[in-house]
Amino acid sequence: MYRTKNNGELRIDHVNETVTLAGWVQKTRDKGFMVWVDLRDRYGITQLIFDEERTSKDVMDMASKLGREFVIQVKGTVIERESKNKNIPTGEIEVLVSKIVILNESLTPPFTIENETDGGEDLRMKYRYLDIRRAPVRKNLEFRHKVTMAVRNYLSAKNFVEVETPYLIKSTPEGARDFVVPSRMNEGEFYALPQSPQTFKQLLMIGGMDKYFQIVKCFRDEDLRADRQPEFTQIDCEMAFVEQEDILQTFEGLTRHLLKEINGVDVETFPRMTFDEAMMKYGNDKPDIRFGMEFGELNAVTQHKEFNVFNKAELVIGIAVPGGNNFTRKEIDQWIEWVRRPQIGALGMVYCRYNDDGSFKSSVDKFYDQEDLAAWAKATGASPGDIVFILSGETNKVRAQLSALRMQIAEKLGLRKAQEFAPLWVVDFPLLEWDEETKRYHAMHHPFTSPKPGQMELLKSDPGAVKANAYDLVLNGNEIGGGSIRIHNKQIQAQMFDYLGFTPEEARAQFGFLMDAFEYGAPPHGGIAFGLDRLVAILGGQETIRDFIAFPKNNAGRDVMIDAPAPIDPEQLKELHLQLQRKP
Amino acid sequence: MYRTKNNGELRIDHVNETVTLAGWVQKTRDKGFMVWVDLRDRYGITQLIFDEERTSKDVMDMASKLGREFVIQVKGTVIERESKNKNIPTGEIEVLVSKIVILNESLTPPFTIENETDGGEDLRMKYRYLDIRRAPVRKNLEFRHKVTMAVRNYLSAKNFVEVETPYLIKSTPEGARDFVVPSRMNEGEFYALPQSPQTFKQLLMIGGMDKYFQIVKCFRDEDLRADRQPEFTQIDCEMAFVEQEDILQTFEGLTRHLLKEINGVDVETFPRMTFDEAMMKYGNDKPDIRFGMEFGELNAVTQHKEFNVFNKAELVIGIAVPGGNNFTRKEIDQWIEWVRRPQIGALGMVYCRYNDDGSFKSSVDKFYDQEDLAAWAKATGASPGDIVFILSGETNKVRAQLSALRMQIAEKLGLRKAQEFAPLWVVDFPLLEWDEETKRYHAMHHPFTSPKPGQMELLKSDPGAVKANAYDLVLNGNEIGGGSIRIHNKQIQAQMFDYLGFTPEEARAQFGFLMDAFEYGAPPHGGIAFGLDRLVAILGGQETIRDFIAFPKNNAGRDVMIDAPAPIDPEQLKELHLQLQRKP
């Protein structure tokens, strides 16, 4: 061992002890007759002191040659500091060095390795191994470990078994694109990397494992949006002989445990909301309920006058921004501009100030009188001092627009408090969703999701109305988990494949093993999967998942540190029975 | 919830309770007026009873129609059994059923789903989800979970942090073949699946993580030998600021903890043996030391007579088989035949019986007298009643042959006791090994392994003699872990790449990021990786890793249950900028 103590543990009680420390030189202050060094490791920073009266000349000379990030080992005596540093746990002492060994030198690092750094995102990713030396990054990884340990110990104590499912599986065109892996031993054939262990966990239920979980990497070859990773980690769970209520109870328990154990926060029973209600009140199936600003539906109180924008709209909705009557005219214009950005896509926005004296002032006073405006205030729950923002148009679009506005305003007003946690179950999701591109319905969750009892009949008459035994767990406006009760009956599964446009042959080719398994006594079962990266980020009070991944990829799916992907040896390609496509 | 109790928990104390159970029908006995059903789930088996005097006709009728593996839910009353079954924990009670729901039917399963099954390996793999219903398979998976939980909790308590390293990395021609993953977004480029997180864990040490572990899938595209899997799981560990002794202590601690916690076995300090000693005494770098039969070197006591087979041999070695003088002539001939099989490759074998009266009888009495034979007995540690088996030839070959014989005999004599555990550290491995095919030295462990201090100079003069800071943990004749202290100095790493035949350009292309990282203050570090599949199998008292993997692949790398790998859609190939190789 290169050390007898680490750099985070020396206290005033250790004074006069002889210790050996090792670590990185974070900083040196050289006054010639005296040199101070901040020595860093994972556990903290300890100040070393070299003093020409008490330190040999050789050692003094070496101390003055130390550069940032040199790796050194020192022997010395713990002494009390003259000027104590109350900001660090080792701040009462320093180590008077008698011996020093340079274990490794370092070039000057490309950015400052301290809590605050001057390195930009790209540079820090290229030198991620240096970025990780910074306490905030390291603490995020330690935090992630703490969360996964808590998850595993909780589920294990509840009799869940972690089972490893295979990574080399089979490609299915359903859903997102698979990453594939050419097989050398089976010419012309490919494995696929799992988008999730969905079918395997269902097979484990059919296999009687009863309660399964796994913290597992999943893969999706998608065009990456901001903060998406081609490989991501899931807490994947499944239970047999359960109904939706059992799943909700079980994983509400897990989440409550995490909030308590990790964040020290006690949360009561999680509220529940149907998908329809969430869309109506928040325009969003993952509403952030840490703050209000619920949507007020205004059709009835706006469509009786001559204002055609509202009259021809399918939906008119508004939110009351608390204290928003303080907004200047310029600020209001900025919000109007904000909703008109192409990413949001509103054509305009109507506002109505609610003055402290109870009077109203709107941008459409030409069309509406005080009584109308009072009705708007009532419908949106506005109080004097607020401002009501109103959007109108086609239902789905206007909801999405107002939802985006609501979130942005909350962000600006500081209503999205990182250390406040508001979990929410959203239930009764639709089974199907309409896809404009293919002009047909697709499974909203996946094709194994069961419809609510008695709704199978609606499939033909009113497919969009069929509700599923599907649920999401939402935390602070983020979907952190989602799942469903699965179909366990082979006829219903076959009908579902048929409805979703699979020919029996396609269904067999892709899911034959699952349909075979359904022949042999599949129990009722259901489950949930949590996005670990997101969950950890939110529990950590942040929203960027990249900060909680040791070696993330960039938006082009590249690892800029190791420079992957990369060309491979032609010989390797040949062994895989492949060639690069000729350019046309 | 479909049940109020599971099938493993009802006891005599529950008599008169009304319960709801669910599970699979394992067996029915139908006497017309009475029907018994064994109801199974993960937790056990509970006997149900239907009795025409106490059960309604509807329920009786349904009971008599139940087939094997039907999934049912029953409501009933716990009653005391008339004839108790002491073999199962629920054997004192049965449940008198008043209500039954068939949750799912089942075809007749392709093999018997009981502890002993009539299904062959292939059939059980195809229907693995049914095989998993069998208690021995399920218990293996539960056992695996128990082991991984114990590993994680132990290492976590010792301040190790589990960090997830990426699965989509970069191909390196070093070592075994990589599985590669074509990138759609980066035309003509490929990711590779990791053979181990080796470089990433070294980067984490450079990044100051100090103590890392990860239970992680690894991938090798090798021609599969028996009981090898293309994807396998590793307990991967690394520590900074450590020397070899620290690693041995730490992971001896982990292994001792597992033996205690999982197997209830207390093991003293693990013995250590150098690689050279292991080869000399056991002809093997992973000796099973649960039994003796150490090799005796016989050159000095065999090469002074006219027996040319021995005289011209590089090495003559023997083992004393305890009690082997009981072998019949036919049994001895069978052992001689055994070593002459092509897989072993000996040309013949000399034997020498050690009679109870102290006299000897050998197959080469023509050449050797009693005094010679007594010397053989002494060199091999034989006692009266033993037999000495002797092989001769080229050192490496004859050691391998005698080692195989030693293991086979021990197996036959029942000396390899599954519930006896004999761990062993094998240390001081050679840095390099000679490869006959390429006629050059290769890194025995990997190119990041450090040589023993002061041995770098030997690299040019006597490469085969250079010892490495490399060690294996051996348990019952299986390598369960291996590791090394790494090179942390960039010059030495560059020299090593050079020595191993990498041009500076190749070294840079493949390991540039690691060599760059070495520029910025790499700490001394080292680690170890355990093969989890093997470790779990051995702790479980078995040697077949496949039995401890939920969904294993066969020897052709195929998953016969899901039928993977498989062809993919031509469209998918095109998106990946690939085409199948034209046949010549």
Side-chain angles (χ1 to χ4, degrees), chain A residues 1 3 42-43 104 133 144 159 164 167 177 189 191 206 210 231 233 246 488 520 557-558 575, chain B residues 1 3 42-43 104 133 159 164 177 189 191 206 210 231 233 246 488 520 522 557-558 575:
Chain A
M1 204 72 191
R3 64 192 172 207
R42 176 178 142 203
Y43 311 95
N104 222 337
R133 278 189 205 159
R144 183 182 179 112
N159 243 325
E164 293 179 55
Y167 277 73
R177 262 189 221 90
E189 299 192 330
Y191 302 99
I206 294 169
D210 208 70
E231 53 177 301
T233 307
D246 305 305
H488 68 278
Y520 294 100
R558 295 198 71 85
E575 280 192 335
Chain B
M1 203 72 191
R3 62 191 174 209
R42 174 177 142 203
Y43 311 96
N104 223 336
R133 279 189 205 158
N159 243 324
E164 293 179 57
R177 263 191 220 88
E189 299 192 330
Y191 302 99
I206 294 169
D210 208 69
E231 52 177 300
T233 306
D246 305 305
H488 67 279
Y520 293 101
R558 294 198 73 83
E575 279 192 335

Side-chain angles (χ1 to χ4, degrees), chain B residues 550-568:
Chain B
F551 300 102
K553 293 189 172 55
N554 73 9
N555 280 348
R558 294 198 73 83
D559 182 325
V560 295
M561 180 185 71
I562 65 170
D563 195 23
I568 57 172

